[in-house]
Amino acid sequence: MTGTLVLAVESSCDETGIALVQDGRRIRANVVASQVALHAATGGIVPEVAARAHLRWIVPVLDEAWANAGVAWTDVDAVAVTHGPGLAGSLLVGINFAKTLAWVHDKPLVGVNHLEGHIYAAWLLDPGEEDREPPSFPLVTLVVSGGHTFLAEMRDHLTYRLLGETVDDAAGEAFDKVGRLLGLGYPGGPAIQRVAAAAVARDRVFPRAWLGESYDFSFSGLKTAARRIIEAARAEEGIAERPDAALSEGATAELAWGFQDAVVDVLVTKTMRAARTLGARSIVLGGGVAANAELRGRLAGEAGAARLPLVVPRPGLCTDNGAMIGAAGARRLLAGDRASLALDARPTFPIASR
Ligand code: KG4
Ligand code: ZN
């Protein structure tokens, strides 16, 4: 793949990302315009607002990516774009932008599944970062994001066998909902991590849904339990009838820690069992929730004890960005994948079926 330069566009949710990626690995530029501040005001994403913000930011993000990379269109081999899963309006902005760029500059267009982008973030190298071994196959990958949670096996590039997935909420969705219940605002994941780190007593036990030996996940029961436990804590502090009053910092930290511990416990246990059972040679962790320090630390500890290499992108490459789409897009380009200008948004787009 030496010599390929891919310009990649990501706009599936609430980050506008454009990157230039060399050889499917080396980041030349990676610019992300986040809409977090915009959606914090409504406590979550309003799809029309997200699409409008993509329209507003996509050109300035491209301009900045060019300025950072110091390359020209003649150096670019292909344009890659996320075409699902995600919000229809958000996807449409990136797809039409990428299609137009590909047509105007006469470059091949490559469609990428956003979830496969989260996996391929593990192959990325920052500018100036020392080269390192890419993940080895067969591997087990856990993808945990705001919309998806699944475990898959990869025996080679671009081939995914689904081992298990969430039967209800995604892990990130649970973080966001419990964050809201604790009054921590949007997005809940980073806020819960920050608050939980200050917990003094770490003995609050939240329920785990093991679902027997299956590799599936369920977080809706945990969310309901969290609501009940938080209400009980509020009653204990005498603020049950005062929705505007905040729970004490100490209790908030302990509850955040208990919830995070329950999610991480299930994710790590199932991932390690899958890796051992399938004889994986490495583990790849990806998706926004993979930015979570507790999840990264615990999985690193267990994988290390089992002598299994774990590859986790730095937090900024776990959350949505264009570089991960460039890494996966380069693989697809190499495999001969070409999208036509009829490429359409696929709001629902499973990476594999069982
Ligand atoms: O992959 P992503 O950026 O967007 C989707 O494809 O959904 O994931 C966003 C999710 C949100 O639910 C956010 O709360 C969660 O990732 N997240 C975290 C952390 N950082 C982001 N969850 C737990 N701990 C974090 N540090
Ligand atoms: Zn994502």
Side-chain angles (χ1 to χ4, degrees), residues 10 12-13 114-115 118 143 145-148 287-288 318-321 324:
E10 156 63 37
S12 65
C13 192
H114 178 80
L115 303 170
H118 275 307
V143 176
S145 74
H148 297 85
C318 290
T319 47
D320 293 350
N321 64 84
M324 68 186 205

Side-chain angles (χ1 to χ4, degrees), residues 145-234:
S145 74
H148 297 85
T149 294
F150 66 88
L151 260 174
E153 182 194 31
M154 286 177 78
R155 304 197 70 84
D156 201 351
H157 282 295
L158 307 174
T159 59
Y160 314 95
R161 183 167 74 92
L162 193 65
L163 301 171
E165 62 190 329
T166 181
V167 296
D168 40 53
D169 295 348
E173 211 174 336
F175 267 99
D176 292 338
K177 282 181 187 159
V178 173
R180 209 170 301 140
L181 290 175
L182 285 171
L184 298 174
Y186 172 86
I192 286 181
Q193 174 181 322
R194 190 179 60 248
V195 170
V200 179
R202 301 192 163 186
D203 51 9
R204 297 260 193 175
V205 179
F206 282 62
R208 278 93 162 129
W210 292 111
L211 308 181
E213 291 295 294
S214 136
Y215 291 124
D216 282 339
F217 302 94
S218 167
F219 297 108
S220 76
L222 172 59
K223 189 183 65 193
T224 311
R227 184 186 297 275
R228 189 173 33 76
I229 295 169
I230 292 167
E231 274 168 12
R234 292 182 64 87

Side-chain angles (χ1 to χ4, degrees), residues 16-314:
T16 315
I18 295 191
L20 283 141
V21 178
Q22 187 96 48
D23 307 332
R25 292 201 79 188
R26 181 72 63 184
I27 297 175
R28 298 288 300 265
N30 184 35
V31 180
V32 179
S34 171
Q35 304 175 8
V36 160
L38 188 63
H39 301 304
T42 41
I45 300 168
V46 178
E48 290 76 4
V49 174
R52 260 181 245 129
H54 284 301
L55 277 175
R56 163 72 183 83
W57 286 106
I58 202 156
V59 173
V61 168
L62 176 67
D63 289 343
E64 194 179 329
W66 280 127
N68 293 352
V71 295
W73 269 110
T74 46
D75 303 317
V76 173
D77 296 289
V79 177
V81 63
T82 305
H83 64 122
L87 301 169
S90 290
L91 287 165
L92 280 174
V93 177
I95 292 171
N96 286 297
F97 191 64
K99 275 193 212 176
T100 312
L101 290 175
W103 187 77
V104 168
H105 297 283
D106 196 22
K107 303 289 178 187
L109 179 70
V110 180
V112 173
N113 181 309
H114 178 80
L115 303 170
E116 128 181 301
H118 275 307
I119 297 170
Y120 274 88
W123 272 260
L124 289 170
L125 296 168
D126 276 312
E129 183 182 346
E130 203 176 312
D131 209 344
R132 60 179 144 74
E133 276 296 296
S136 359
F137 298 110
L139 61 82
V140 160
T141 177
L142 172 71
V143 176
V144 269
S145 74
H148 297 85
T149 294
F150 66 88
L151 260 174
E153 182 194 31
M154 286 177 78
R155 304 197 70 84
D156 201 351
H157 282 295
L158 307 174
T159 59
Y160 314 95
R161 183 167 74 92
L162 193 65
L163 301 171
E165 62 190 329
T166 181
V167 296
D168 40 53
D169 295 348
E173 211 174 336
F175 267 99
D176 292 338
K177 282 181 187 159
V178 173
R180 209 170 301 140
L181 290 175
L182 285 171
L184 298 174
Y186 172 86
I192 286 181
Q193 174 181 322
R194 190 179 60 248
V195 170
V200 179
R202 301 192 163 186
D203 51 9
R204 297 260 193 175
V205 179
F206 282 62
R208 278 93 162 129
W210 292 111
L211 308 181
E213 291 295 294
S214 136
Y215 291 124
D216 282 339
F217 302 94
S218 167
F219 297 108
S220 76
L222 172 59
K223 189 183 65 193
T224 311
R227 184 186 297 275
R228 189 173 33 76
I229 295 169
I230 292 167
E231 274 168 12
R234 292 182 64 87
E236 223 169 87
E237 295 192 2
I239 54 167
E241 312 297 328
R242 293 173 46 208
D244 53 317
L247 202 58
S248 69
E249 266 182 37
T252 304
E254 282 176 26
L255 296 175
W257 185 88
F259 164 77
Q260 176 178 262
D261 182 55
V263 176
V264 169
D265 191 12
V266 175
L267 294 176
V268 170
T269 303
K270 293 203 179 211
T271 303
M272 288 308 301
R273 184 155 51 79
R276 276 197 212 98
T277 307
L278 298 169
R281 292 187 54 216
S282 63
I283 298 174
V284 166
L285 177 62
V289 180
N292 184 271
E294 190 68 22
L295 174 59
R296 301 165 74 91
R298 293 252 283 271
L299 194 54
E302 295 213 11
R307 298 187 176 281
L308 266 167
L310 168 71
V311 190
V312 194
R314 65 173 164 82

